[in-house]
Amino acid sequence: MISFIRRRIVVPLFILCIIFIGLFIGGFIVFSDRVSTLQAPDLSEPADGIVVLTGGYSRIEGALDLLKNKRGERLFISGVHSSTNRNELQRVTGGDATLFECCVDIDRSALDTIGNAAESVKWANANHYKRIIVVTNNYHIPRTMFELKRASQDIEFIPYPIINTNLKDGNWITRGLVVRVLFVEYVKYLGAVIRYQLPASLSDATASLLHRIKG
């Protein structure tokens, strides 16, 4: 009898675990293929402004090129370290000093992607911008867009992926470091999606956990 009851419990649980693992791995493959095939959008029609999230190689440089080419009126750099001043940031990124002085705004309060989204929406609303180009690395685009759309439904966000490694041929799966970056970002993305399905107290706890894994 006990053996029968165990089978009635263990077998369904085992099957559920297999299904969960399959869905998780399948979701990771879909996520990775999606971000590895992202391309720069058509920007023949300039946006109102440009937002770039710090934290990845070449992000700010790419956003400054867009600003220089008049794809937006102003640039908002979100998540700059509190000890980094404007002149140092301009020098490190090789940005034009005049352009930095006239058309670049800097945010030092955002500590993670959630904060980036909140501060970017505040900036856009303060400038009455309704169409924003969002610059970040390709692997970071899904979570960034999710947080931005959660923060505002009234602004059109245009994802502009920075691509440092060409992975369009699907060879990401053979590159250990790339798989690690994609996997960590996939887990964070799932955490962000799940967080908004939870009650407020659990949602805050999840947000705190995501922040500990470097936002």
Side-chain angles (χ1 to χ4, degrees), residues 74-78 86 100 102-107 123 127:
R74 298 189 68 81
L75 169 63
F76 183 66
I77 305 177
S78 179
R86 178 181 291 270
F100 245 87
C102 81
C103 308
V104 174
D105 300 312
I106 296 175
D107 155 55
W123 174 80
N127 287 282

Side-chain angles (χ1 to χ4, degrees), residues 13-27 186 190 194:
L13 283 177
F14 177 75
I15 293 172
L16 284 175
C17 286
I18 295 298
I19 292 173
F20 173 80
I21 292 171
L23 290 173
F24 183 83
I25 294 174
Y186 173 62
L190 288 181
I194 293 170

